[in-house]
Amino acid sequence: MVFYTSILFDAPHATKYNAQLGVYSRIRYESVMALKGNLRDFTISQLLNLINIANKSGTLVVDGSGETVSVSFRQGKLAYAQKSQEDNSLAAILYRAKKINSNQLQSIKMRGNQMNDKQLGLMLINANYLTQKEILVCLQTHYINLLSGLFTWNEGNFKFENDMPPPSDKITVHIGLENIIMEGTRRVKEWEHLQDEIPSLEIALKFADRPGTNIKNISLSVDEWRVVKYISPKNTLTQIARAAQLDDMQMRRIAYGLIQAGLVEFVRSQGVTARPTSISMSIPAANKEEQKSLINRLITRIRSL
Amino acid sequence: MQTVKMVVTGPFNAGKTEFIRSVSEIDVVSTERKITSKAEKVKASTTVAMDFGRISVDKDLVLYLFGTPGQKRFDFMWEILSEGMLGFIVMVDSTRPETFREARSILETFRAYAPTPYVVAANKQDLKDAWDLEDMRIALRLDKKVKLLPCVASQKKSVKTILLELLYSILEEMDAAK
Ligand SMILES: Nc1nc2c(ncn2[C@@H]2O[C@H](COP(=O)(O)OP(=O)(O)O)[C@@H](O)[C@H]2O)c(=O)[nH]1
Ligand SMILES: [Mg+2]
């Protein structure tokens, strides 16, 4: 791709293919000029390839619908990332990663305003509370997750600000982009695959009457457990995702996994419930004789085992 | 098709998976990692084994047995699982008194989620250093009214007895509620 390679090397004269005119037009790039566009036309993996190969330094700002993610690079390596709508303080990140508890978060916040992230990090290390490595690993994961999340954005205005460094009070890292690009590309493929498998989230799941033979070795993640709670023909996947606070991709992945495991099956949603009801496996409260007869059926069956 | 569930809970390594496996008609292969000495050091990304057993009663009724992950850090799942359960079984490893206190705390947590009937299974009674039931009752601070039953989770007969005792308690509770 001509556009792509030309920016790669910051060529002063680059050739861009103009789709509307169907011609290649020569455009001029100054080295100070910001790289701008929309993810529709220039994907995040193309951008990262570019930053990686050209060893770029600067900050990529991507505006999605209601969310802005800024990612800083140094010499083609990931240095820092933040989401504008999120608490990006070290304390909050450590808390979300369960490295500190809510009391500790509160007390840090209380005395905290004078202390920036670097100072807080030092304090935690000096107090032998966390090691430097633990803090860095936690931040790396956080930054990588923010950046990787961009792979599933189909749309969003981006701008690469050359020479805009990460905020000076933030702790930075140095992570090569190759693996992130590979992993992100894999995720995009997975995403496309999942959209094929589960074209709509307006369907429901039910526990399989006859779980498949591959129900062996079932091992559920924490998120999957959250979903299991809501499995019922009354709840659409959209409702479950909202209740379990999962994004579209997570919801599809989990539903697909549970189906593959033979644990659940698709059913047409019966529900018109606005709020998802969690599975009520209990016996209907109404009729006591019915309840007792149900328990007696269970007793008879278990005796016969 | 109606489904009902019972929950099997208790500390790590108490024998929950074994218990469910003994009576389930589907294979329940738990993949919970045996990190016995450092059970709490499970990484956040480690998947949690779900013990999921099934007994079909007749063509309209299925009983599910859910085993809870033992570690306290997964207790948010306990709440999820306890919703709507008929009753629960607390498994205790009779040979490991150091886990009794945790078993007691798990029991109390579940009681708080749902005031359903429960029984306590003193598991691994086949092992020679298993505690006597009477001593366990004291150590676990169980009221006389609470059913504390000897158990060998690997034996189907023993597991059946526990399930039946729980079902009898459920019936009694229904009668008592008149
Ligand atoms: N001897 C004996 N071993 C048991 C019994 N129940 C479970 N075990 C063993 O105890 C270990 C832990 O059991 P498991 O079911 O995985 O415990 P969980 O962590 O509660 O699910 C396994 O090695 C089982 O084989 C029992 O009644 N007797
Ligand atoms: Mg287990």
Side-chain angles (χ1 to χ4, degrees), chain A residues 49-62:
Chain A
N49 265 320
L50 158 65
I51 293 164
N52 180 37
I53 298 172
N55 280 330
K56 279 179 159 292
S57 299
T59 297
L60 177 70
V61 183
V62 188

Side-chain angles (χ1 to χ4, degrees), chain B residues 12-13 15-18 30-32 34 49 51 68-70:
Chain B
F12 187 76
N13 217 44
K16 302 178 290 293
T17 303
E18 193 77 40
S30 169
T31 52
E32 192 161 41
K34 294 292 175 196
D51 296 329
T68 65

Side-chain angles (χ1 to χ4, degrees), chain A residues 16-274:
Chain A
K16 187 186 181 197
Y17 181 68
N18 186 317
Q20 260 168 357
L21 298 176
V23 295
Y24 289 93
S25 57
R26 287 182 85 76
I27 46 172
R28 199 181 157 78
Y29 289 94
E30 305 291 342
S31 61
V32 288
M33 185 179 150
L35 174 61
K36 278 188 190 171
N38 192 297
L39 292 180
R40 263 193 320 258
D41 315 313
F42 206 68
T43 67
I44 197 75
S45 53
Q46 288 173 318
L47 275 171
L48 293 184
N49 265 320
L50 158 65
I51 293 164
N52 180 37
I53 298 172
N55 280 330
K56 279 179 159 292
S57 299
T59 297
L60 177 70
V61 183
V62 188
D63 269 310
S65 46
E67 282 183 320
T68 304
V69 172
S70 312
V71 190
S72 303
F73 302 88
R74 261 201 215 110
Q75 308 260 292
K77 302 273 192 288
L78 172 61
Y80 176 75
Q82 69 173 38
K83 195 185 240 175
S84 57
Q85 289 73 12
E86 215 171 70
D87 186 345
N88 291 292
S89 66
L90 176 63
I93 294 168
L94 291 173
Y95 171 66
R96 287 193 295 262
K98 301 208 163 61
K99 291 281 173 200
I100 59 175
N101 64 33
S102 57
N103 289 339
Q104 291 163 328
L105 176 68
Q106 283 316 316
S107 66
I108 291 170
K109 293 244 141 165
M110 248 145 64
R111 66 182 126 143
N113 285 343
Q114 315 93 317
M115 216 185 331
N116 68 30
D117 281 4
K118 285 182 177 165
Q119 290 162 335
L120 172 63
L122 265 179
M123 194 198 83
L124 291 170
I125 293 165
N126 288 336
N128 277 332
Y129 190 74
L130 290 172
T131 62
Q132 179 172 10
K133 189 161 172 230
E134 281 174 308
I135 295 178
L136 283 178
V137 166
C138 187
L139 288 174
Q140 280 177 3
T141 312
H142 178 66
Y143 300 158
I144 291 175
N145 284 344
L146 282 178
L147 177 54
S148 303
L150 294 176
F151 277 88
T152 47
W153 291 24
N154 297 322
E155 169 129 23
N157 286 316
F158 67 80
K159 196 159 79 175
F160 188 86
E161 303 277 9
N162 282 313
D163 309 320
M164 180 174 150
S168 62
D169 56 341
K170 293 292 182 183
I171 300 173
T172 57
V173 296
H174 202 69
I175 309 168
L177 294 180
E178 286 90 350
N179 284 335
I180 300 176
I181 296 168
M182 259 159 38
E183 173 60 19
T185 312
R186 196 195 57 74
R187 269 169 64 150
V188 170
K189 289 224 182 75
E190 184 195 5
W191 172 236
E192 287 165 357
H193 170 68
L194 285 173
Q195 275 185 320
D196 284 346
E197 293 287 342
I198 306 177
S200 157
L201 293 185
E202 293 309 311
I203 44 166
L205 297 173
K206 71 179 185 69
F207 283 112
D209 289 340
R210 234 167 255 123
T213 43
N214 45 359
I215 197 153
K216 274 188 190 185
N217 288 316
I218 272 192
S219 166
L220 298 190
S221 70
V222 170
D223 283 340
E224 286 165 333
W225 278 87
R226 290 208 184 100
V227 168
V228 165
K229 171 181 182 178
Y230 294 108
I231 289 174
S232 149
K234 293 203 190 73
N235 299 329
T236 64
L237 293 180
T238 308
Q239 291 169 325
I240 296 179
R242 204 177 306 132
Q245 300 190 332
L246 298 168
D247 66 30
D248 218 282
M249 169 99 167
Q250 290 168 315
M251 185 66 244
R252 277 174 216 261
R253 188 191 291 134
I254 290 171
Y256 184 65
L258 294 174
I259 290 165
Q260 287 294 298
L263 200 57
V264 300
E265 295 164 356
F266 280 133
V267 279
R268 184 191 306 234
S269 166
Q270 302 165 354
V272 276
T273 43

Side-chain angles (χ1 to χ4, degrees), chain B residues 5 27-28 37 42 48 58 63 85 93 104 153 158 173:
Chain B
K5 74 172 165 186
D27 269 328
V28 185
S37 57
V42 192
V48 186
D58 49 42
L63 169 66
M85 63 186 171
D93 184 339
R104 170 82 210 177
S158 175
E173 193 114 327

Side-chain angles (χ1 to χ4, degrees), chain A residues 254-300:
Chain A
I254 290 171
Y256 184 65
L258 294 174
I259 290 165
Q260 287 294 298
L263 200 57
V264 300
E265 295 164 356
F266 280 133
V267 279
R268 184 191 306 234
S269 166
Q270 302 165 354
V272 276
T273 43
R275 215 170 58 83
T277 41
S278 66
I279 29 168
S280 160
M281 287 190 160
S282 56
I283 26 186
N287 184 334
K288 201 177 126 191
E289 284 316 305
E290 257 173 46
Q291 291 181 9
K292 284 177 70 172
S293 117
L294 185 144
I295 301 296
N296 280 317
R297 278 153 75 199
L298 287 166
I299 289 174
T300 310

